[in-house]
Amino acid sequence: MKTIDKVSADRLREVALYHPDTGIFYATPARPTSVRPGSILGYLRKDGYWYIRVDGHQYLAHRLAWLYVYGEWPKHLIDHIDGNKSNNRIKNLRDVPKHINQQNIRAPYKSSSTNTLGVIWNKRDKQWYAVITTNKKKRHLGMFKNKEDAVMAYLEAKRESHDGCTI
């Protein structure tokens, strides 16, 4: 991965204005591009994140928000507390290690056959199976006749054992 010179907080504040209550960046008159002052900066990509170009480099808007408010780059990953990747309000962002960020997953992976976090259909037993992973260890939560009970068991275990969970 190519390393780039990171923009400083001072330079960011010179070319952009960030509103912490909305999470939106606006162009300032000092911005050296054809973007009109006051225009919303950045664009929303298919992955759900806002991206902003500053001095020829592209940045994730949530990382720029952290830099803008706190004056330094985040030490870890920036987690969107509410799970909404485009909500860059500062109160929705937290600087956390990767394992905490992963514990705040709210939606199942696209590859999920059940479209549910932590719940699997067991064909042989014709029951729903709930499982959770914590500290790289898989814990079986039980077999359930209906999917809703399995989901509830998973969510209860997630709230108990995942420090990063905000569900």
Side-chain angles (χ1 to χ4, degrees), residues 15-17 24-27 31 35 39-43 50-52:
V15 298
L17 176 64
I24 298 173
F25 281 89
Y26 297 91
R31 191 168 175 85
V35 177
S39 298
I40 293 175
L41 292 176
Y43 60 97
W50 276 93
Y51 289 81
I52 298 174

Side-chain angles (χ1 to χ4, degrees), residues 118 120 129-142 154 157 161-162:
I120 302 161
Y129 180 64
V131 63
I132 192 165
T133 303
T134 307
N135 298 325
K136 299 180 182 178
K137 292 183 182 164
K138 199 175 273 194
R139 184 170 54 137
H140 304 279
L141 304 172
Y154 173 78
S161 60
H162 285 178

Side-chain angles (χ1 to χ4, degrees), residues 145-156:
K145 297 245 183 249
N146 65 57
K147 187 176 182 179
E148 293 76 21
D149 289 343
V151 169
M152 291 308 296
Y154 173 78
L155 289 175
E156 185 178 317

